[in-house]
């Protein structure tokens, strides 16, 4: 049944989250549209609630930063959409598409420029390295949910 599922080469995938406020504001469709138009193939996708523990784990590199607990509460404030995106040079190209962490510094046409509300509520997550892309994708999607 899962014979068409495939493993992808390192470097060809990235992992994304559409954050709670963007889901709440009806931006799932427009964001996925921009992702597809930009040449990414969506190879896994689902909507879910993060548990507090998962959110703490996901952002653990920031645990000593002043915004950490606020960020965790925000990430569990509503459902999110998680996905795996495939494209040559996926991590770097997707970071270009999402724009700077601070939406005020994000370039025109980027997802954060278009859909972010603030530094914290900045619409989307995109992996920052191939290693993290693989780890994040594996955390959320068993191979039976990757196509
Ligand atoms: P990213 O890779 O561009 O998402 O940025 P980081 O890995 O540095 O930060 C992770 C997330 O933490 C960001 O996407 C923001 O949602 C949030 N964040 C980062 N820096 C700040 C900050 O200075 N203040 C607040 N409130 N949130 C921040």
């Amino acid at each position: 049944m899962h014979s068409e599922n495939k493993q992808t080469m390192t470097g060809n995938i990235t992992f994304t989250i559409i954050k709670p406020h963007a889901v709440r504001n009806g931006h799932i469709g427009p964001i996925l549209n921009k992702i597809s138009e930009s040449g990414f193939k969506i190879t896994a996708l689902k909507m879910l609630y993060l548990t507090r523990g998962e959110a703490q784990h996901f952002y653990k590199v920031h645990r000593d930063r002043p915004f950490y607990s606020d960020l965790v509460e925000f990430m569990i404030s509503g459902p999110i959409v998680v996905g795996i995106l495939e494209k040559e040079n996926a991590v770097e190209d997707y970071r270009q598409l999402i724009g700077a962490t601070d939406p005020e510094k994000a370039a025109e046409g980027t997802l954060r420029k278009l859909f972010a509300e603030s530094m914290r509520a900045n619409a989307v997550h995109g992996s920052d390295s191939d290693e993290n892309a693989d780890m994040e994708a594996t955390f959320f999607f068993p191979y039976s949910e990757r196509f």
Side-chain angles (χ1 to χ4, degrees), residues 5-19:
N5 298 353
K6 62 180 181 196
Q7 303 220 351
T8 45
M9 278 166 36
T10 294
N12 283 355
I13 62 150
T14 191
F15 171 80
T16 191
I17 298 177
I18 302 177
K19 297 187 180 185

Side-chain angles (χ1 to χ4, degrees), residues 6 35-36 39-44 84-87 147:
K6 62 180 181 196
I35 287 172
S36 295
F40 294 87
K41 188 173 164 205
I42 299 167
T43 59
I84 301 175
L85 311 178
E86 189 180 315
K87 183 181 189 292
F147 300 93

Side-chain angles (χ1 to χ4, degrees), residues 30-103:
I31 289 172
L32 293 180
N33 209 22
K34 288 284 287 182
I35 287 172
S36 295
E37 279 172 356
S38 305
F40 294 87
K41 188 173 164 205
I42 299 167
T43 59
L45 193 71
K46 62 187 171 189
M47 191 168 185
L48 52 86
Y49 268 102
L50 279 182
T51 65
R52 181 171 280 106
E54 286 169 343
Q56 285 168 338
H57 177 71
F58 193 82
Y59 282 119
K60 64 180 184 298
V61 296
H62 296 305
R63 65 183 167 267
D64 296 328
R65 309 285 293 278
F67 58 83
Y68 176 69
S69 52
D70 221 37
L71 177 62
V72 167
E73 293 311 309
F74 165 67
M75 288 301 291
I76 64 173
S77 69
I80 59 170
V81 170
V82 294
I84 301 175
L85 311 178
E86 189 180 315
K87 183 181 189 292
E88 207 172 299
N89 205 32
V91 166
E92 208 179 305
D93 287 3
Y94 192 56
R95 294 293 303 193
Q96 287 285 329
L97 177 63
I98 70 181
T101 308
D102 179 351

Side-chain angles (χ1 to χ4, degrees), residues 114-142:
L114 289 166
F115 301 109
E117 290 177 355
S118 65
M119 184 89 154
R120 181 186 69 169
N122 59 2
V124 285
H125 164 81
S127 308
D128 61 3
S129 67
D130 290 338
E131 192 190 0
N132 282 339
D134 285 337
M135 269 178 11
E136 292 165 2
T138 303
F139 180 78
F140 284 97
F141 293 101

